[in-house]
Amino acid sequence: MRKTIKGFSKLSKQEKIDWLVMTYFNNNESAQTILEQYWNADKKLQQLHDEFIENTITNYYLPFGVAPNFLINNKVYAIPMAIEESSVVAAASKAAKFWYDRGGFKTSVLSTEKIGQVHFMFHGDHNKLERFFEQIKPTLLSDTQSITKNMEKRGGGILNVELRNKTEHIDGYFQLHATFETLDAMGANFINSCLEQFADTLKREALSFTSFSEEERQIEVVMSILSNYVPNCIVRAEVSCRVDELTENANISADEFANKFIQAVAIAEVEPYRAVTHNKGIMNGIDAVVLATGNDFRAVEAGVHAYASRSGKYRSLTHAKIENGIFSFWIEIPLALGTVGGLTKLHPLVKLALEMLDEPSAKELMQIVAVAGLAQNFAALRSLTTTGIQEGHMKMHLMNILNQFGASNDEKTKLIDHFKTNTVSHSAVVEALENLRN
Ligand code: MEV
């Protein structure tokens, strides 16, 4: 059977499925059945999802959960989270409650600048290129007027364009390095459109710059694209309380807990193997909110991890200290998010998530997302430094194991009760289920 196909995207949805079922599933009908199970009965809603991407054959569900009781700058939020990992929403909710009773989260946006670059090759006199750039800078800006005028009306737009010489890295390599304020939009389309116009203007103006030689006029644009590294689009979130308020459970004193917590963060500041896992836990919270609110979690992930390595070494994104008896724990991260454009008005669940958050501005959403990351890290470190992570994880994973073995609702109720006082492990659950069934 041939496993390649020409013109796949032109086939109807059913033809695509027929081809897949025939080619990859031995004509087994259960593949078709599984795909169909996830179609939405509402045809219009299904069509909306079909048209998000090319070659849609079904929908891929993630649970959409809510972590309530987040007190952020004295306002209470229920935070929507889309994620498959069983313990994340529970952990966020526990951390929210813990900090609700201790004054909540304090947040602020430190900066909102986005970045984009035109990467180009110029072989010639660098001084002439600099003079050329200074001369055409007003034209670069005026040529983008039709793209920027609406954004400017609202107070955003292009902040600056610089010429950057990168020839020490690659012979002939220069950049137009531009900065933008995109307000409530994530800004990818706006930035990329401006950059492509810059590239056209750059090439066009070079052709008539009289000081250039024939070769110098042939500026070669390699590409024009925004950067997902946004180290000047930073949000900060923090929690703090007196050390003696940090009572965690009866087995550990507030003092001991605070000190172990500080040590755990310190380890993630110096040890990259730990820092990656530490930051992964932060991203559990961040990605879930980013996804639920229709934002691009790959962009956020890429930018955040680059930021974690900005010193040349990969480090923790959170920090903690005890000063004058006060425990503080905080995060500062770059987040390029939007609350207009993209999926925000299109995807019904995204609309609902934003409504649940009281229609936040992009700046407000940055703060909510940073809080979700900090809360998640607090919950993870709290478990790691006290009971260990498996207790909570396995409790949450219990339902997955029960479902895997087709437990009935009655069996689930009995076993959930049983495992309130027994340690959950895969084999213990199997054994308990067998005992129950016998
Ligand atoms: C698991 O998804 C996340 C943790 O590993 C994070 C951490 O170790 O800090 C629990």
Side-chain angles (χ1 to χ4, degrees):
M1 179 62 62
R2 267 182 53 223
K3 297 224 168 188
T4 58
I5 183 168
K6 270 205 183 110
F8 185 68
S9 67
K10 308 232 160 35
L11 300 181
S12 69
K13 190 197 267 188
Q14 191 54 55
E15 286 166 341
K16 284 174 187 143
I17 293 174
D18 289 345
W19 179 80
L20 278 172
V21 170
M22 181 178 66
T23 314
Y24 287 94
F25 298 95
N26 240 343
N27 263 333
N28 183 338
E29 277 175 21
S30 66
Q32 162 88 34
T33 310
I34 291 171
L35 293 171
E36 251 176 62
Q37 268 174 354
Y38 287 88
W39 289 352
N40 201 295
D42 177 337
K43 291 236 161 54
K44 267 181 93 176
L45 192 61
Q46 186 52 55
Q47 189 181 345
L48 180 74
H49 283 74
D50 288 351
E51 291 172 0
F52 282 148
I53 61 166
E54 192 166 272
N55 298 344
T56 308
I57 53 173
T58 191
N59 308 305
Y60 184 96
Y61 292 174
L62 281 181
F64 180 101
V66 175
N69 302 324
F70 269 98
L71 185 62
I72 307 177
N73 297 342
N74 298 322
K75 180 171 170 182
V76 180
Y77 292 87
I79 300 189
M81 302 178 97
I83 188 154
E84 87 300 344
E85 191 173 326
S86 44
S87 52
V88 170
V89 176
S93 307
K94 267 176 94 175
K97 183 73 186 55
F98 185 95
W99 285 106
Y100 186 96
D101 298 334
R102 291 162 180 80
F105 295 80
K106 300 283 177 275
T107 60
S108 55
V109 170
L110 304 182
S111 50
T112 57
E113 180 189 281
K114 314 273 171 63
I115 293 168
Q117 298 167 320
V118 178
H119 305 269
F120 68 94
M121 296 294 166
F122 171 82
H123 297 284
D125 181 337
H126 295 181
N127 292 326
K128 275 201 255 172
L129 182 66
E130 269 164 36
R131 283 207 307 280
F132 166 68
F133 172 71
E134 285 311 322
Q135 185 173 314
I136 67 156
K137 201 168 161 181
T139 316
L140 287 171
L141 298 177
S142 59
D143 278 2
T144 53
Q145 262 304 299
S146 62
I147 308 166
T148 57
K149 65 174 189 294
N150 281 339
M151 189 66 90
E152 278 171 8
K153 261 190 228 149
R154 286 181 270 129
I158 301 165
L159 299 176
N160 195 19
V161 191
E162 280 173 31
L163 174 69
R164 290 195 172 175
N165 182 337
K166 295 279 163 177
T167 53
E168 65 176 298
H169 304 295
I170 298 176
D171 187 33
Y173 172 30
F174 288 84
Q175 295 169 350
L176 295 182
H177 181 97
T179 48
F180 303 85
E181 170 56 61
T182 62
L183 306 170
D184 285 336
M186 189 270 192
N189 286 330
F190 173 76
I191 294 172
N192 289 334
S193 300
C194 289
L195 294 171
E196 289 187 3
Q197 181 56 56
F198 288 165
D200 286 348
T201 304
L202 184 75
K203 285 189 292 187
R204 186 194 70 218
E205 293 296 314
L207 292 176
S208 58
F209 189 63
T210 48
S211 311
F212 277 163
S213 67
E214 214 28 64
E215 196 199 351
E216 287 169 330
R217 286 195 182 125
Q218 304 309 315
I219 283 181
E220 185 200 329
V221 170
V222 180
M223 57 191 162
S224 311
I225 186 75
L226 94 171
S227 172
N228 290 124
Y229 185 43
V230 283
N232 294 321
C233 186
I234 300 287
V235 56
R236 180 186 166 95
E238 177 169 355
V239 284
S240 65
C241 69
R242 288 201 323 270
V243 169
D244 62 25
E245 290 174 327
L246 266 185
T247 39
E248 148 57 26
N249 63 45
N251 300 327
I252 184 164
S253 73
D255 242 1
E256 198 189 338
F257 171 54
N259 284 321
K260 275 190 95 171
F261 194 98
I262 298 274
Q263 282 168 344
V265 177
I267 290 169
E269 304 247 27
V270 298
E271 167 52 55
Y273 283 98
R274 173 56 203 152
V276 170
T277 317
H278 177 100
N279 290 347
K280 186 275 180 185
I282 295 171
M283 299 315 287
N284 278 343
I286 290 182
D287 283 344
V289 189
V290 168
L291 204 52
T293 55
N295 276 279
D296 180 344
F297 68 93
R298 286 87 53 211
V300 167
E301 282 275 347
V304 164
H305 294 296
Y307 189 73
S309 343
R310 69 196 181 287
S311 66
K313 183 168 169 173
Y314 189 90
R315 292 176 189 278
S316 166
L317 293 161
T318 53
H319 312 280
K321 67 175 182 195
I322 299 174
E323 238 172 49
N324 304 325
I326 302 290
F327 167 87
S328 327
F329 178 49
W330 71 98
I331 188 168
E332 276 184 22
I333 41 164
L335 286 176
L337 301 175
T339 53
V340 298
L343 289 189
T344 52
K345 291 278 172 296
L346 213 53
H347 195 301
L349 274 176
V350 168
K351 268 166 67 178
L352 184 121
L354 290 170
E355 208 177 314
M356 192 189 303
L357 294 173
D358 213 6
E359 305 293 358
S361 64
K363 279 182 168 178
E364 283 161 347
L365 185 60
M366 284 167 79
Q367 297 172 73
I368 294 163
V369 169
V371 163
L374 187 69
Q376 207 65 42
N377 190 222
F378 179 78
L381 295 186
R382 183 162 69 149
S383 299
L384 287 168
T385 56
T386 57
T387 55
I389 203 75
Q390 281 310 84
E391 186 183 287
H393 256 203
M394 290 310 286
K395 280 243 152 71
M396 292 309 300
H397 193 52
L398 173 61
M399 193 57 87
N400 289 344
I401 307 176
L402 291 173
N403 281 331
Q404 191 185 331
F405 288 95
S408 66
N409 285 340
D410 184 45
E411 287 169 339
K412 282 179 189 169
T413 312
K414 286 188 174 126
L415 290 174
I416 287 169
D417 200 43
H418 171 77
F419 280 107
K420 277 189 183 144
T421 47
N422 289 281
T423 307
V424 181
S425 73
H426 198 272
S427 55
V429 177
V430 174
E431 199 181 312
L433 192 58
E434 272 169 6
N435 287 343
L436 197 66
R437 285 178 177 170
N438 292 333

